[in-house]
Amino acid sequence: MTNAIRLFKVRGIEIKMHFTFPLILIWAGLSFGMFNNGGLEGAVYGVLVTSLVFLIVLLHELGHSIAAQYYMVKVRQIVLLPIGGVAQLEEIPEDPKKELVIAAAGPLVNFALAILLLLVGPLLGQVFSARGLLSLATSLGELSFSSIFLYVFTTNLFIGLFNLIPAYPMDGGRILRALLATKLTYTRATSIAVMIGQILSWGFGLWGFLNGNFFLIILAFFIYTGAGQEGKMVQTKHILGDLRVEQAYSRGVRSINLNEPLETALHATLNSFQSSFPICEDGNLAGMLPYSTLVRALEKKDLSTPIRDVMQTGIKPASPREKLIDIQKRMSEEGVDALPVVDESQGFLGMITSQDLNEAYRLSLALDRAEPLKGIRQAV
Ligand code: ZN
């Protein structure tokens, strides 16, 4: 994620915060400073408790991350956003038990912290009673140990419970999907969880709108789009199944020699279906000239510039045995729409493009709806 500032590393996981983060602290200081005429004391309180809330959110995300690492799932990073945190996992395990444990680990951290505070509270002179908990509203903004202790306790309870709302892709929604997946297929379980998540997001949005709660409206938007995107991803993965590059890549691709001028690539683009070109030297792949790179080069360079000066190098080619779903993931991560296909023994074979992936997806879907893979396996 861009716009994020690196903070530190925990267990090999990069912890980042969104650049708007300092703004949230300033906002907290200002609003608590003005709340109940809190003045400087209120402002310090605001900055302090807001920092503590994000520390709690970080611990929650670390809960998910450590559970994921336990199952050998790589955690890319944790990003703290103004509306909460995100632990970005390399993949979400389709094993319901693993997903359940990873999803539940976050809220469990919060409940464990709340219980810990409940236990150490009396040692620090903090006794919890129903009246004590109710006094949070009156002690809000008061720069005292009791007030902050109470705030941290209730925040933990709130974050733990709130995340258990079954609005996929929130934790509760993931738990719901995992539970459904023990009885139904993974895709069916996902589509039900996505539907419930999107219905609940409308509820959040409406509630936020009626109460003027901006946070809920933004959250509703994130849940709605997040659920849709993840649902689509699961569906694509299911449809592409274990189709491989060799079943979908384009043969007979035109490659260009690295010493040819840009003009050659320009004409080749205009006169063919192809818009990205593998660049070769003596039949071996030397680089790629994607369409976007060609356009940029044409803006700045002369038509006689040799392609080797502008081509992209160091591209990891696709192997014929790689899964299409992995290639799709790589292309979207690397922001490219074509990858050269190279076989260890046969050398350069052709190219796999986002269009090839689209075709494979649509044909696979159309050939056999009940068993989408069977048809295409026979067709290629
Ligand atoms: Zn969580």
Side-chain angles (χ1 to χ4, degrees):
M1 192 172 293
T2 48
N3 302 332
I5 307 158
R6 284 175 179 199
L7 296 177
F8 46 87
K9 265 187 174 187
V10 180
R11 290 172 66 100
I13 307 163
E14 194 96 57
I15 314 289
K16 296 179 179 174
M17 68 174 183
H18 195 255
F19 80 104
T20 51
F21 213 79
L23 296 178
I24 298 289
L25 290 183
I26 294 170
W27 168 81
L30 284 176
S31 52
F32 273 101
M34 287 186 291
F35 176 74
N36 271 349
N37 288 327
L40 185 62
E41 187 187 318
V44 174
Y45 174 91
V47 173
L48 193 65
V49 292
T50 310
S51 309
L52 286 170
V53 168
F54 279 97
L55 178 67
I56 294 167
V57 171
L58 176 61
L59 293 172
H60 171 106
E61 297 307 328
L62 279 172
H64 291 306
S65 306
I66 290 166
Q69 287 180 331
Y70 174 77
Y71 289 121
M72 303 294 170
V73 175
K74 207 174 157 233
V75 183
R76 286 210 192 108
Q77 55 182 8
I78 291 175
V79 186
L80 296 172
L81 301 163
I83 59 152
V86 193
Q88 290 174 344
L89 310 186
E90 195 99 281
E91 55 164 345
I92 292 153
E94 287 192 15
D95 176 349
K97 194 184 133 216
K98 291 183 185 172
E99 176 166 46
L100 187 98
V101 172
I102 295 173
L108 278 178
V109 166
N110 297 118
F111 295 136
L113 283 170
I115 292 170
L116 187 74
L117 292 176
L118 211 53
L119 293 175
V120 286
L123 302 176
L124 303 167
Q126 307 301 316
V127 182
F128 290 93
S129 62
R131 194 190 290 164
L133 285 175
L134 286 176
S135 74
L136 178 66
T138 48
S139 72
L140 214 57
E142 184 189 298
L143 195 57
S144 70
F145 183 71
S146 285
S147 167
I148 291 169
F149 195 84
L150 196 57
Y151 192 96
V152 171
F153 174 76
T154 19
T155 302
N156 266 303
L157 274 188
F158 175 77
I159 292 180
L161 289 173
F162 186 75
N163 276 285
L164 287 180
I165 297 174
Y168 183 82
M170 279 172 64
D171 299 337
R174 291 194 188 283
I175 293 172
L176 174 72
R177 194 231 332 240
L179 292 175
L180 288 171
T182 57
K183 297 268 175 268
L184 308 166
T185 62
Y186 188 71
T187 31
R188 185 88 192 100
T190 305
S191 51
I192 294 175
V194 166
M195 194 180 70
I196 295 175
Q198 292 190 325
I199 292 171
L200 286 174
S201 76
W202 276 100
F204 280 150
L206 202 63
W207 185 269
F209 188 71
L210 292 175
N211 293 290
N213 189 330
F214 200 56
F215 169 80
L216 269 182
I217 299 174
I218 297 178
L219 187 78
F221 173 77
F222 272 94
I223 292 173
Y224 189 86
T225 49
Q229 277 169 2
E230 289 209 22
K232 181 95 184 48
M233 232 160 62
V234 170
Q235 197 197 6
T236 309
K237 200 172 169 190
H238 168 71
I239 298 292
L240 288 181
D242 42 40
L243 285 181
R244 295 180 191 267
V245 171
E246 61 194 353
Q247 288 166 294
Y249 80 89
S250 298
R251 279 86 171 161
V253 164
R254 172 161 183 197
S255 61
I256 304 177
N257 185 281
L258 81 175
N259 291 318
E260 293 273 343
L262 273 178
E263 196 177 1
T264 309
L266 172 66
H267 288 299
T269 305
L270 291 171
N271 301 334
S272 72
F273 284 119
Q274 231 175 298
S275 55
S276 292
F277 294 89
I279 307 302
C280 289
E281 185 179 29
D282 307 326
N284 292 320
L285 185 78
M288 277 289 283
L289 187 68
Y291 181 66
S292 54
T293 309
L294 173 66
V295 173
R296 247 178 288 130
L298 289 174
E299 281 168 358
K300 292 183 194 140
K301 309 256 178 183
D302 207 71
L303 276 177
S304 60
T305 311
I307 290 172
R308 77 175 111 84
D309 290 353
V310 298
M311 70 180 187
Q312 286 191 1
T313 52
I315 290 164
K316 191 180 158 224
S319 115
R321 297 293 302 153
E322 263 182 276
K323 280 189 179 180
L324 287 186
I325 188 73
D326 295 334
I327 293 297
Q328 193 200 38
K329 214 166 135 193
R330 234 176 83 193
M331 279 191 187
S332 74
E333 277 168 12
E334 292 170 17
V336 297
D337 57 8
L339 284 174
V341 179
V342 175
D343 178 62
E344 266 181 33
S345 54
Q346 300 173 66
F348 172 68
L349 296 175
M351 211 164 59
I352 178 103
T353 64
S354 49
Q355 203 185 338
D356 292 326
L357 290 172
N358 257 328
E359 280 168 6
Y361 177 81
R362 290 185 166 256
L363 292 175
S364 178
L365 192 66
L367 274 169
D368 192 339
R369 281 184 175 270
E371 251 183 291
L373 299 173
K374 213 174 132 204
I376 204 163
R377 273 214 197 91
Q378 287 160 356
V380 291

